[in-house]
Amino acid sequence: MAPVFVLVHGAGGNSYGWAPVLAELALRGHKAVAVDLPGHGPGAHYPLAYQAPQDPAALRTEPSPLGKVTLDDFAGHVVGVVRRAARLGAVVLVGRSMGGVTLNAVANRVPELLSHLVYASAFCPTGHASAARLMATPEASTSALARLEEVRTPPGLGVHRFNWRSADPAFFAAAKEAFAADRSDDAVRALLATLEPDESAAIATADSRGLPEAWGRVPRTFLRFTEDRALPLPLQDLMIREADAATPGNRFRVRSLAAPHAGPREAAVWADELELVAGACR
C-alpha cells in the first residue's frame, strides 16, 4: 500500500503551516494528513490581551490552558492519528522544528506502526535529554532564537508566549532572521500571522530521548536546512551524530537543502523529498 504522510507542526504552529505541502502531495496522488497538536489549530488559545488593542501588562500574566499540556498529551494524540493512518498504508511521520520531540515520543510508543521518520530541521534528542538541553550546547550558541524576545510570563503560567503581532521593528527583524531570512518582509508577516502565541513550556524540557529499542528500530531521514539560523547547522549535525551513535545499525539518511528554518519556499521541493522517502518504504 502507498505510504501515508502524517505531518506534525512545531512550537506555536498548527496544521495550516503544512497547507501548501498537503496540496502538493494531494495533487501528486499521495495520502497525507496534517495534525493539530493539543491546544493548537481549532483548539488554540489566544489571550484576550493578545487581541487589538493589545494590553502588554495583562499579556504577561493572563493564564493559558496550554500550561497544563504535556509531551504525553502530544504523543497520545499523534499515536491515535497514526493508528488510523496505518490502516491506509505505511506511515511516514514527518516533524518540523519542535515537532521532532513528538516524533521521538510517538516512535518510542508505537515503532511497529511507523515505516519512516522524517525530521525537517527538527529536534531529535538522544545524547541530550531534551530540546532545552540541546539549545544549551555550544553548537546552539549562534541560534537567532536567543534574540527573539519572549513575553515575560511568571514561571507558574507554564507557557512560552510570543507576541507575533508586535509592532516593534526589532522583534520583526529578529523573527525574520530566525525563521525566514531569505524571504520578503510581506512573506514573513504572512508567516507570523499563522503562528499562535502560546506553547506549553513542558515540551522543550521533557525527556524526549529516542529509545534505541523502540524509536531506534524505525528508519529515519534528516532534512538538513543549511540556511537555518534558528537551529544552526552545528546543532543539526550534533543531533544527527548522537542519534547515529545511539543506533549505529540504523543511521540517519541525510539530505541537505538550502533553506531557512521555515523550510523550502516551494512546496514542490518538500514533496520531492517526501517522495524519495516514500520510494524507500516500498
Side-chain angles (χ1 to χ4, degrees):
M1 297 174 69
V4 183
F5 298 102
V6 177
L7 312 177
V8 180
H9 62 78
N14 47 55
S15 61
Y16 179 76
W18 287 110
V21 181
L22 281 177
E24 181 67 21
L25 289 172
L27 290 171
R28 296 186 184 196
H30 296 291
K31 292 173 283 189
V33 59
V35 177
D36 279 307
L37 294 171
H40 295 272
H45 174 71
Y46 293 88
L48 288 177
Y50 186 66
Q51 312 304 324
Q54 290 192 330
D55 184 340
L59 190 60
R60 291 194 291 270
T61 58
E62 188 173 329
S64 172
L66 274 84
K68 297 181 179 179
V69 174
T70 67
L71 182 57
D72 282 344
D73 296 324
F74 279 13
H77 180 71
V78 177
V79 165
V81 175
V82 166
R83 289 191 187 282
R84 296 183 65 185
R87 302 170 190 167
L88 306 174
V91 175
V92 176
L93 187 60
V94 184
R96 60 200 306 174
S97 192
M98 193 64 77
V101 304
T102 299
L103 265 61
N104 280 17
V106 172
N108 284 341
R109 291 190 184 192
V110 290
E112 71 281 359
L113 296 181
L114 302 172
S115 291
H116 209 98
L117 298 168
V118 179
Y119 295 78
S121 195
F123 285 99
C124 182
T126 50
H128 290 77
S130 67
R133 291 193 179 183
L134 282 164
M135 288 301 293
T137 62
E139 288 81 359
S141 62
T142 62
S143 173
L145 293 176
R147 295 183 286 280
L148 190 63
E149 186 176 359
E150 186 173 346
V151 176
R152 295 183 181 275
T153 59
L157 213 60
V159 298
H160 293 297
R161 177 171 288 167
F162 289 91
N163 185 1
W164 304 117
R165 297 174 181 170
S166 171
D168 181 0
F171 180 87
F172 178 82
K176 180 174 181 176
E177 180 184 4
F179 301 136
D182 66 332
R183 301 185 189 175
S184 68
D185 286 358
D186 282 347
V188 174
R189 290 188 190 96
L191 170 64
L192 297 183
T194 70
L195 299 180
E196 299 166 5
D198 289 356
E199 184 58 84
S200 167
I203 307 305
T205 57
D207 188 334
S208 50
R209 284 173 287 191
L211 303 176
E213 65 273 17
W215 159 88
R217 292 159 41 193
V218 186
R220 59 182 186 262
T221 290
F222 198 100
L223 298 183
R224 183 175 174 269
F225 294 169
T226 61
E227 307 301 321
D228 195 336
R229 299 179 187 175
L231 272 62
L233 269 183
L235 178 59
Q236 296 178 56
D237 290 341
L238 172 66
M239 292 188 286
I240 293 168
R241 288 196 306 273
E242 291 186 341
D244 289 350
T247 59
N250 179 28
R251 299 170 66 84
F252 262 118
R253 168 185 171 271
V254 180
R255 298 277 297 172
S256 294
L257 304 176
H261 192 62
R265 293 191 199 194
E266 302 298 328
V269 176
W270 283 99
D272 288 345
E273 293 298 326
L274 294 179
E275 283 187 330
L276 290 175
V277 172
C281 293
R282 296 193 179 108

